[in-house]
């Protein structure tokens, strides 16, 4: 069916011709901005209150508008809102159209001095603010689970890697907290993003400001915003908060995907360090034996989606002329999708970690004596040999062990002394993974005291924020 002819649309006064069918669909945003219905109604109720303060609305009209809007909200909530697919262009026009049907002429006063350009900014910011508060809570949950699992797994040692090559022994908890440390940074950055999302554009008009002296401070406060947007031309053009959300989310997703990648590797038979619970795995339609870590693979994959949204929208924003342009509508879908993606990924990661089986024995079995070569060098450092020499000496020991086909701890003292006469009986103590780990007890290290301090710091951070 053809859409309503342009003259009959909300903005159709100056139009005579009909809008093209495809153009109507191309232009409409209700199909995705309907999730903003509640924020749109909140914004309109506040706007109506501000109009009442200016005597543009009477008490009776304000009452009609507020109860009418509450009715519209209820219809959305109960899934009973009937969309007019021929005329409802976006959430703002849909709500106003329905309000008019419910309360009659008073509805026509609501949009006095207001523009959809400011309305969409208010709706997006209110909605995003609420969602980001939820995501902050979810991130705290993820940090708490990381801390709890780190505490429980404290005695477990594993190979620490650089370049994916076995490097030095570390505590499994230390590895887990390395990821939690990234996530803590994400939570700290999120607070800054939330501050800037919470700036109220209401009262800026289409671009130039409000001619009736509307009380912008009152409206910002009434809607729970932290500040009032300071420039009308900027306010209707400002989707920096969306860029910030997308870029913030990109880095968070990079962190989650790195954690996911580690866990995917660690859950292979080749490592066997961890096992992802059935609740977060799926099977193969062909190979009966398969159990795949799809949860983690999806997180890794979705990181690309979010990063694409960030660079995609930034490209839309680049070179836009001053104030509002319809290109800005392109900010709505990525914002909504990105927030949903991030929220799911954080919660799924928490679930995966909470239910993960940690195979300490497998990790222990993967520790090899050559990972203590640095400790051998350090042994000689403690005897006064410059590190550059000890590095060579320890290297020579590794080579000798390799030639002999034994591990470095199996070389007789005699062989060691041929390389350096400073080796004594007590060198045997060096070949102890636990000792190696416990020696790294400075701030941020992998000893149990350092790891426990990290756990305490994360617990305190979650409790305080
Ligand atoms: N759906 C529009 C958006 O998301 C609302 C603002 C429309 N403003 C306009 N001048 N057509 O940007």
């Amino acid at each position: 069916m053809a859409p309503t002819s342009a003259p009959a649309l909300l903005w159709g006064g100056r139009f005579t011709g009909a809008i093209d069918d495809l153009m109507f669909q191309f232009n409409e945003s209700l199909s995705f901005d309907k999730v903003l219905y509640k924020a749109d109604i909140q914004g309109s109720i506040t706007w109506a209150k501000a109009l009442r303060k200016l005597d543009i609305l009477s008490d009776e009209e304000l009452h009609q508008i507020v109860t009418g809007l509450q009715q519209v909200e209820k219809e959305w909530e109960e899934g009973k809102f009937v969309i007019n697919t021929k005329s409802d262009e976006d959430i703002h026009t849909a709500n106003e159209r329905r309000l008019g049907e419910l309360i009659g002429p008073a509805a026509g006063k609501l949009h006095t001095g207001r523009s959809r350009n400011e309305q969409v900014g208010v709706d997006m910011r209110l909605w995003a603010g609420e969602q980001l508060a939820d995501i902050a809570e979810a991130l705290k949950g993820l940090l708490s689970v990381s801390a709890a699992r780190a505490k429980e797994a404290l005695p477990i040692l594993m190979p620490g890697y650089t370049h994916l090559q076995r490097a030095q022994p570390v505590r499994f908890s230390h590895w887990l907290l390395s990821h939690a440390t990234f996530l803590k940074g994400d939570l700290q950055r999120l607070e800054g993003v939330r501050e800037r999302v919470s700036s109220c554009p209401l009262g800026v008009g289409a671009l130039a400001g409000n001619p009736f002296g509307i009380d912008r401070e009152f409206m910002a406060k009434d809607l729970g915003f932290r500040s009032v947007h300071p420039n009308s031309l900027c306010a209707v053009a400002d989707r920096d908060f969306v860029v910030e959300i997308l870029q913030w989310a990109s880095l968070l997703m990079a962190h989650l995907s790195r954690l996911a990648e580690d866990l995917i590797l660690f859950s292979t038979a080749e490592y066997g360090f961890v096992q992802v619970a059935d609740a977060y795995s799926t099977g193969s339609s062909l190979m009966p034996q398969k159990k795949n870590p799809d949860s983690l693979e999806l997180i890794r994959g979705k990181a690309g989606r979010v990063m694409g949204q960030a660079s995609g929208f930034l490209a839309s924003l680049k070179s836009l002329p001053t104030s509002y342009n319809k290109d800005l509508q392109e900010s709505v879908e990525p914002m909504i999708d990105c927030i949903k993606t991030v929220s799911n990924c954080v919660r799924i990661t928490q679930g995966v970690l909470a239910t993960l089986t940690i195979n300490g024995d497998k990790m222990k079995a993967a520790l090899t004596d050559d990972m203590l070569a640095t400790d051998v060098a350090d042994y000689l450092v403690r005897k006064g040999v410059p590190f550059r020499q000890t590095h060579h000496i320890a290297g020579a020991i590794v080579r000798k062990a390799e030639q002999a086909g034994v591990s470095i701890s199996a070389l007789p003292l005699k062989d060691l002394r041929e390389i350096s006469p400073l080796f004594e009986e007590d060198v045997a103590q060096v070949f102890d993974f636990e000792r190696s780990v416990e020696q790294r007890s400075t701030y941020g290290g992998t000893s149990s005291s350092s790891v426990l301090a990290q756990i305490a710091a994360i617990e305190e951070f979650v409790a305080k924020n």
Side-chain angles (χ1 to χ4, degrees):
M1 210 192 295
T4 309
S5 70
L9 292 174
L10 186 95
W11 38 258
R14 54 116 50 233
F15 285 80
T16 50
I19 188 167
D20 177 80
D21 284 10
L22 181 58
M23 175 54 199
F24 182 81
Q25 287 168 36
F26 188 58
N27 183 48
E28 71 85 27
S29 55
L30 185 60
S31 50
F32 49 87
D33 67 17
K34 62 184 177 203
V35 300
L36 308 177
Y37 76 87
K38 201 179 173 141
D40 191 71
I41 286 168
Q42 271 178 315
S44 284
I45 290 177
T46 293
W47 183 256
K49 288 194 223 167
L51 290 179
R52 173 70 201 100
K53 277 160 64 80
L54 295 171
D55 270 336
I56 290 172
L57 296 180
S58 66
D59 275 337
E60 173 53 23
E61 287 165 333
L62 174 63
H63 177 73
Q64 281 181 9
I65 287 174
V66 171
T67 46
L69 285 169
Q70 285 164 345
Q71 175 64 29
V72 177
E73 183 178 341
K74 198 159 164 251
E75 290 182 5
W76 279 114
E77 237 153 49
E78 293 171 354
K80 292 185 183 147
F81 188 98
V82 183
I83 291 171
N84 183 335
T85 53
K86 290 174 291 167
S87 71
D88 289 347
E89 189 177 308
D90 52 32
I91 187 62
H92 327 297
T93 53
N95 282 343
E96 196 182 325
R97 188 262 310 153
R98 182 67 188 131
L99 180 68
E101 288 167 3
L102 289 171
I103 69 166
K109 290 194 173 180
L110 174 63
H111 210 52
T112 310
R114 186 176 64 165
S115 163
R116 282 184 294 158
N117 298 352
E118 54 189 312
Q119 238 183 315
V120 64
V122 172
D123 294 7
M124 290 174 78
R125 287 168 183 272
L126 277 180
W127 183 84
E130 207 168 288
Q131 301 291 320
L132 293 178
D134 272 1
I135 290 177
E137 285 310 307
L139 270 172
K140 282 186 220 164
L142 176 52
L143 284 180
S144 296
V145 165
S146 305
R149 300 280 350 231
K151 206 183 273 183
E152 161 203 334
L154 190 67
I156 298 176
L157 304 187
M158 70 183 278
Y161 300 83
T162 63
H163 312 265
L164 265 188
Q165 307 292 321
R166 286 174 185 170
Q168 288 179 335
V170 294
R171 293 198 179 279
F172 173 78
S173 309
H174 195 53
W175 165 82
L176 186 52
L177 292 169
S178 75
H179 289 284
T181 305
F182 281 127
L183 297 171
K184 183 179 158 197
D186 292 315
L187 195 47
Q188 287 167 320
R189 274 184 292 275
L190 178 57
E191 186 42 40
V193 176
R194 287 174 67 192
E195 177 71 28
R196 288 178 291 281
V197 167
S198 191
S199 170
C200 184
L202 203 54
V204 299
L207 75 164
N210 183 281
F212 300 105
I214 200 118
D215 188 343
R216 295 195 61 209
E217 284 284 347
F218 160 77
M219 294 191 295
K221 216 167 153 203
D222 200 46
L223 289 168
F225 278 102
R226 299 189 203 178
S227 65
V228 181
H229 201 293
N231 179 290
S232 65
L233 284 174
C234 175
V236 295
D238 187 353
R239 294 292 182 281
D240 286 9
F241 70 98
V242 177
V243 175
E244 273 201 74
I245 291 170
L246 297 173
Q247 292 185 336
W248 170 82
S250 296
L251 187 53
L252 166 69
M253 290 302 297
H255 296 148
L256 292 182
S257 78
R258 291 179 78 173
L259 170 60
E261 171 65 6
D262 271 3
L263 287 173
I264 290 166
L265 278 176
F266 291 173
S267 68
T268 59
E270 283 69 16
Y271 282 81
F273 292 178
V274 299
Q275 213 175 318
V276 177
D278 285 1
Y280 295 97
S281 308
T282 64
S284 157
S285 60
L286 178 74
M287 299 165 284
Q289 86 284 10
K290 288 296 291 291
K291 198 173 99 171
N292 302 323
D294 293 36
S295 49
L296 297 166
E297 292 166 44
L298 281 168
I299 289 166
R300 194 175 55 185
K302 283 179 195 291
R305 172 194 185 110
V306 169
M307 290 167 195
Q309 286 165 337
S311 53
F313 177 60
L314 199 56
S316 296
L317 201 58
K318 177 193 164 293
S319 305
L320 284 192
T322 298
S323 101
Y324 183 80
N325 297 272
K326 197 58 173 268
D327 318 44
L328 292 170
Q329 185 167 286
E330 286 296 304
S331 64
V332 184
E333 282 171 287
M335 180 189 81
I336 293 169
D337 187 77
C338 160
I339 281 180
K340 180 177 148 217
T341 303
V342 164
S343 169
N344 285 341
C345 289
V346 172
R347 284 167 226 270
I348 294 282
T349 305
Q350 175 173 339
V352 169
L353 286 186
T355 55
L356 194 71
T357 305
I358 302 166
N359 301 327
D361 290 347
K362 285 275 195 174
M363 293 185 213
K364 195 170 170 191
L367 294 169
T368 48
D369 287 341
D370 57 316
M371 298 176 66
L372 298 171
T374 317
D375 297 74
V376 172
D378 293 346
Y379 168 89
L380 293 175
V381 165
R382 292 195 168 93
K383 294 191 183 259
V385 185
F387 176 72
R388 272 293 148 238
Q389 283 177 35
T390 68
H391 186 283
H392 272 277
I393 295 168
I397 289 172
V398 170
R399 201 168 55 241
K400 187 159 203 158
E402 245 169 37
Q403 282 161 357
V406 295
S407 85
I408 56 172
S409 63
L411 286 176
L413 183 60
K414 173 178 79 55
D415 288 7
L416 297 181
R417 291 177 68 96
E418 272 168 26
I419 298 170
S420 167
L422 291 172
F423 283 114
E424 292 171 67
E425 287 291 346
D426 64 354
V427 70
Q429 290 169 12
V430 170
F431 299 109
D432 177 346
F433 300 112
E434 184 70 29
R435 181 175 177 273
S436 165
V437 163
E438 280 310 281
Q439 277 185 345
R440 286 159 173 84
S441 60
T442 45
Y443 179 72
T446 196
S447 75
S448 44
S449 63
S450 298
V451 168
L452 283 170
Q454 293 176 56
I455 293 171
I458 285 187
E459 284 172 344
E460 195 188 317
F461 177 78
V462 169
K464 275 199 184 146
N465 283 275

